[in-house]
Amino acid sequence: MTSQLPVDDRLASPDADRWRDPGLRPDERADALIPLMSLEEKAAQLVGLWVGADASGEGVAPHQTDLVEHTPPWPDAIRHGLGQLTRPFGTAPVDPILGARSLAASQAQIVAASRFGIPAQVHEECLTGFAAWRATVYPAPLSWGAAFDPDLVEEMAGRIGRSLRAAGVHQGLAPVLDVTRDYRWGRTEETIGEDPYLVGTIGAAYVRGLERAGVVATLKHFAGYSASRGGRNLAPVPMGRRELADVILPPFEMALRLGGARSVMHSYAEIDGVPVAADEELLTRVLRDQWGFTGTLVADYFAVRFLQTLHGVAADAGEAARLALRAGIDVELPTVDAYGAPLVAAVRAGEVDEALLDRALRRVLIQKIELGLLDDGWRELPADVDGLRLDDDADRAVALRLARQSVVLLRNDDGLLPLAADQRIALVGPVADDPMAMLGCYSFPLHVGPQYPEHETGVEIPSLREALQQRHPRLTHLPGTTITGDDTAGIAAAVVAATDADVCVLAVGDRAGLFGRGTSGEGCDAVDLQLPGVQAELVRAVLATGTPVVLVVLSGRPYALGAAVDRAGAIVQAFFPGQLGGQALAEVLTGEVDPSGRLPVSVPRHAGGQPGTYLSPVLGRRTEVSSVDPTPAFPFGHGLSYTTFGWSDAAVVAGPTAAPTDRTADFTVEPASANGATGATVEPVSWAVDGEVTVGVTVRNTGSRAGTEVVQLYLHDPVAQTTRPVVRLVGYARVPVAPGAAARVTFVVPADVTSFTGVHGRRVVEPGDVQLRLGRSSGGIVASLALRLVGDEREVGHQRQLVSRVRVAPAAVPVPQGRR
């Protein structure tokens, strides 16, 4: 692709302006431009610049100081052009309108400085909303998973995307599609859950929302980052290729195919000794050759240089650049380093093939052309910048809806909740009056705010105490202890307050932060799953008073609650529910809102007994050959309501690929055996290995108030050529039902969703007996429907059907006999 003519002669060519022609395809325009560019101009398009990065030693991340101190001065950095601008809003508190104007001025300088006048692509973090000062802080991703509501997550992402575009930002570094494998990992809060189907469907919805708003969604972190040994951040990953293929990769496939993501960020992981940043098999042959991804692959921050400094597979920056380019990384972020002067020198020395640089450049230019950055009509300053608002009523309304839907009621003995209006309430616990306990580590107030204590938070974040006191004036509050540390001096006073109350609401949990500045978040890993500090001691002391206790856990990971699991009258779990999480929690506690969240991660019973998730084969569950019982206190998918639901008429519905059946069942929850099986043995219904099967169940609200049931569909494969999880999610539906009303929930399940990586390393649909299990959770199976996959073993690939289709429709409610 590189021309042998001198640069000036290329610009004199009659075709020198073809790249400006909007009538050509983006790839044709890119192909016309690349031969005109010098080596320095090409390399400049493959780097970001973090002009706000702090080299004082007080920056966001470790190693930041090491790698930004040699960043060239601004005029030198942009004289050949610039690929990306890194986080102009997410580095320091800046008024959004002033920030947009400042960004526009920077873009004007970039355009004026270089021969081709190509603007930079601007990226920001947006995991819990636009990570900018005065922007709405939405619930953290574990709350997205708890809501089991892709449509609402898509709506949220659309609002985030519109804010980004209005400020002049083109690319959002979200969503995180890592499947949680060890809850001790600090970044568990950034994940959507422990099940790839849930992570993939929710993640794809987020991508659709962001992309439809015109913002490039960047999938993180591809791949394997969450499976580190010991749950430690940026640690080796001892994972086999089968786990990678069946658990880790499917959410990325879903987000690309069902969401349309245009960018991927590789992970810091090294899998079986190979750093992902240098893994050509994963980043090129899987992602591009097999899956057909044509967008940009960007480096996680500083990761190219980490091939030299942390992984030890490169001798210097030039070699690190060669390995990364060859593997398939197009853009080095966050700032100019290995892809700058070291890469140019390596190409000139013949150590790096310029064709690799051209390959990356082509992808970068195509994306910029698609964004309109190379069009004559592009303007630096977004329209209506003076009206820019990043936290309006509509944004907050969506944040509140998602927070409400994400609150999980785990236990409610004797109807302790909702709280009665005339009760004397003692609100105890270190997170009860802490607004920051509502936020994840990638929210602006916690990601950047601590470096600027002189600035206000920028958005209103009512604490649980503030929100609950508005509804319960007869409320006494004492913290009892702190989130971290060993201060027990306040526990005695908290015990007195609890003793004098009718009900004690005990709020415990986390404070998100970065790299040891919190108990949850990036670099804030845990040695076990006990509550931080002496909070467990506070819980024991309050439970001993005999006062009914509502235990509220506000956290970024599930914690083992010990005796509280059995002794607390009620337990409520929220995963960093955002700036309006305090209001949502208060509404659930008082009954204004019916709880409808479901666990996206299991809650362990023992602090060290279950770093694994529910996706376990038989030997991963309780056995007679180990003294350690990993059975969770509350399983994946669990959650209660203030109303009750009856399930009936579970059936395999006749269809073109399923044998007719009139088998239905009117049933209740049955106890599960060791492998999770329920019900009597029946003759299975035939299901073609290349077909679909339709199953359905009727859900009726048997209580006196409106509520939402979450119907979950699980696959059980009792005999397979490799060990399989006892159950895994293959469908779900949120089902709102009025009192006395009923809904029919129908799933159309393609045989492809039963596929797995077989003994020969290929993904197959294997004939044989399986069960589709309808349940309230992974441990609360209500009905098992026996099926038999028939036909020859079938190999499937990236184009397989990835999800089950679901339909919810009103259903007739039977009239009791004797009534007409």
Side-chain angles (χ1 to χ4, degrees):
M1 189 177 294
T2 304
S3 172
Q4 300 303 309
L5 293 174
V7 171
D8 290 343
D9 291 345
R10 294 177 225 161
L11 292 176
S13 164
D15 294 329
D17 284 336
R18 289 189 76 241
W19 65 275
R20 301 180 186 274
D21 185 354
L24 298 178
R25 297 192 313 268
D27 61 315
E28 293 173 326
R29 293 176 66 182
D31 289 341
L33 176 57
I34 291 172
L36 307 178
M37 302 176 76
S38 69
L39 180 57
E40 287 80 5
E41 288 167 335
K42 291 177 179 181
Q45 290 297 318
L46 306 186
V47 296
L49 189 63
W50 197 354
V51 292
D54 184 355
S56 68
E58 299 297 325
V60 171
H63 305 292
Q64 177 176 309
T65 303
D66 305 338
L67 299 174
V68 301
E69 61 185 357
H70 301 302
T71 300
W74 172 255
D76 293 341
I78 65 173
R79 68 192 181 99
H80 295 299
L82 183 65
Q84 296 217 4
L85 274 171
T86 294
R87 302 193 66 187
F89 293 88
T91 302
V94 58
D95 177 86
I97 295 174
L98 296 179
R101 291 190 174 279
S102 175
L103 173 58
S106 297
Q107 289 279 39
Q109 292 172 4
I110 293 168
V111 168
S114 63
R115 291 191 307 156
F116 297 103
I118 301 172
Q121 189 164 324
V122 183
H123 74 259
E124 282 288 357
E125 299 284 359
C126 57
L127 191 62
T128 60
F130 185 1
W133 195 49
R134 295 183 176 172
T136 302
V137 183
Y138 292 90
L142 269 186
S143 283
W144 312 352
F148 275 76
D149 191 341
D151 291 341
L152 183 52
V153 169
E154 182 174 342
E155 183 178 353
M156 173 193 71
R159 301 208 65 83
I160 294 170
R162 284 189 287 276
S163 292
L164 291 164
R165 281 310 299 260
V169 178
H170 312 106
Q171 181 171 357
L173 303 187
V176 170
L177 298 179
D178 297 295
V179 177
T180 300
R181 302 300 284 160
D182 188 330
Y183 313 135
R184 295 173 296 180
W185 190 47
R187 302 190 79 165
T188 294
E189 64 167 74
E190 298 180 47
T191 72
I192 297 168
E194 67 184 42
D195 180 272
Y197 189 92
L198 179 67
V199 174
T201 50
I202 297 291
Y206 182 96
V207 169
R208 285 193 298 272
L210 208 63
E211 289 281 355
R212 286 173 181 170
V215 173
V216 175
T218 302
L219 310 183
K220 305 189 326 188
H221 306 89
F222 189 78
Y225 190 27
S226 57
S228 58
R229 183 179 281 119
R232 295 178 62 245
N233 192 51
L234 219 169
V237 175
M239 177 173 55
R241 290 287 163 173
R242 186 167 285 104
E243 180 183 355
L244 179 69
D246 289 350
V247 177
I248 301 299
L249 296 185
F252 292 93
E253 292 183 86
M254 290 186 184
L256 290 172
R257 280 188 52 203
L258 307 180
R262 288 180 285 171
S263 182
V264 173
M265 175 181 280
H266 77 83
S267 88
Y268 287 130
E270 56 178 68
I271 303 174
D272 195 23
V274 178
V276 171
D279 192 342
E280 189 175 5
E281 173 68 25
L282 184 61
L283 300 187
T284 293
R285 282 189 278 278
V286 172
L287 179 62
R288 295 194 182 277
D289 298 344
Q290 294 179 24
W291 294 3
F293 175 64
T294 59
T296 57
L297 180 61
V298 302
D300 205 343
Y301 284 13
F302 310 116
V304 174
R305 179 69 78 129
F306 284 172
L307 292 173
Q308 173 198 356
T309 59
L310 299 185
H311 296 295
V313 297
D316 52 35
E319 188 174 2
R322 178 181 64 82
L323 291 174
L325 265 180
R326 185 182 66 185
I329 296 174
D330 302 317
V331 181
E332 181 184 25
L333 297 179
T335 199
V336 184
D337 186 37
Y339 276 20
L343 174 59
V344 171
V347 172
R348 287 223 160 90
E351 296 165 357
V352 174
D353 187 347
E354 189 171 352
L356 290 176
L357 192 153
D358 288 348
R359 181 181 70 173
L361 175 62
R362 186 173 190 267
R363 295 165 184 156
V364 167
L365 292 177
I366 286 173
Q367 189 160 98
K368 286 192 172 188
I369 292 166
E370 290 172 345
L371 289 167
L373 298 183
L374 273 66
D375 292 347
D376 288 338
W378 179 83
R379 295 292 178 266
E380 303 94 33
L381 196 64
D384 192 28
V385 68
D386 290 329
L388 181 63
R389 297 292 181 271
L390 305 181
D391 181 42
D392 62 22
D393 290 344
D395 295 329
R396 290 190 293 272
V398 172
L400 179 58
R401 284 167 53 206
L402 184 53
R404 287 166 172 164
Q405 291 186 189
S406 69
V407 176
V408 186
L409 178 61
L410 299 179
R411 182 185 180 96
N412 192 23
D413 286 1
D414 303 321
L416 180 58
L417 289 177
L419 299 169
D422 59 351
Q423 289 176 312
R424 293 171 300 144
I425 307 295
L427 178 61
V428 170
V431 304
D433 199 26
D434 183 0
M436 296 299 111
M438 302 294 164
L439 309 186
C441 80
Y442 265 74
S443 63
F444 187 91
L446 287 178
H447 199 77
V448 179
Q451 299 171 70
Y452 300 91
E454 71 279 9
H455 281 75
E456 62 182 16
T457 304
V459 291
E460 292 186 16
I461 312 169
S463 68
L464 175 59
R465 182 198 63 78
E466 292 172 310
L468 194 57
Q469 190 122 42
Q470 292 178 358
R471 294 156 176 81
H472 264 281
R474 299 179 67 190
L475 182 145
T476 301
H477 167 253
L478 287 170
T481 186
T482 53
I483 294 173
T484 58
D486 56 3
D487 183 8
T488 60
I491 292 180
V495 166
V496 172
T499 302
D500 292 341
D502 297 320
V503 177
C504 177
V505 177
L506 175 54
V508 296
D510 278 322
R511 175 73 176 262
L514 289 170
F515 304 107
R517 301 168 198 162
T519 59
S520 173
E522 185 173 0
C524 298
D525 310 317
V527 296
D528 59 32
L529 297 173
Q530 180 170 280
L531 286 165
V534 294
Q535 292 183 79
E537 188 172 338
L538 173 66
V539 172
R540 286 192 294 270
V542 171
L543 287 173
T545 65
T547 299
V549 172
V550 177
L551 182 63
V552 176
V553 184
L554 269 164
S555 64
R557 63 166 64 86
Y559 282 105
L561 304 175
V565 167
D566 300 315
R567 295 176 61 189
I571 304 176
V572 175
Q573 173 72 60
F575 297 106
F576 294 147
Q579 73 182 63
L580 292 170
Q583 178 180 338
L585 271 167
E587 291 172 339
V588 168
L589 292 173
T590 58
E592 294 174 46
V593 169
D594 187 76
S596 61
R598 300 295 185 266
L599 285 175
V601 287
S602 306
V603 173
R605 183 170 289 275
H606 305 294
Q610 186 189 319
T613 70
Y614 96 104
L615 290 177
S616 298
V618 172
L619 287 182
R621 300 204 171 189
R622 181 180 181 180
T623 69
E624 305 244 341
V625 297
S626 174
S627 59
V628 175
D629 181 2
T631 304
F634 301 102
F636 172 86
H638 173 76
L640 304 176
S641 169
Y642 291 149
T643 190
T644 55
F645 298 95
W647 293 31
S648 63
D649 301 326
V652 179
V653 181
T657 59
T661 178
D662 59 1
R663 183 168 67 252
T664 63
D666 202 1
F667 50 83
T668 57
V669 177
E670 303 175 37
S673 64
N675 68 357
T678 64
T681 301
V682 294
E683 183 63 25
V685 175
S686 295
W687 182 6
V689 294
D690 59 352
E692 296 178 334
V693 68
T694 302
V695 300
V697 68
T698 297
V699 175
R700 183 164 61 95
N701 186 337
T702 57
S704 59
R705 60 179 290 165
T708 297
E709 182 71 297
V710 179
V711 177
Q712 298 160 47
L713 183 68
Y714 292 89
L715 174 72
H716 173 62
D717 190 349
V719 179
Q721 59 187 268
T722 67
T723 61
R724 305 295 303 134
V726 173
V727 289
R728 62 180 177 90
L729 190 70
V730 294
Y732 60 87
R734 283 183 61 91
V735 187
V737 192
R744 184 69 179 174
V745 184
T746 304
F747 295 96
V748 180
V749 188
D752 287 3
V753 302
T754 72
S755 66
F756 61 94
T757 303
V759 292
H760 300 296
R762 300 187 299 271
R763 179 173 288 276
V764 297
V765 176
E766 185 180 42
D769 290 351
V770 296
Q771 293 176 12
L772 287 175
R773 296 178 171 179
L774 292 151
R776 296 185 170 101
S777 72
S778 61
I781 301 302
V782 178
S784 296
L785 302 172
L787 299 115
R788 177 170 294 150
L789 286 159
V790 295
D792 295 330
E793 181 176 291
R794 176 171 157 259
E795 184 175 344
V796 296
H798 178 59
Q799 295 304 316
R800 69 190 184 281
Q801 295 186 66
L802 297 171
V803 297
S804 302
R805 303 189 302 278
V806 62
R807 179 173 180 266
V808 179
V813 178
V815 179
Q817 290 186 356
R819 295 186 183 179
R820 292 290 185 269

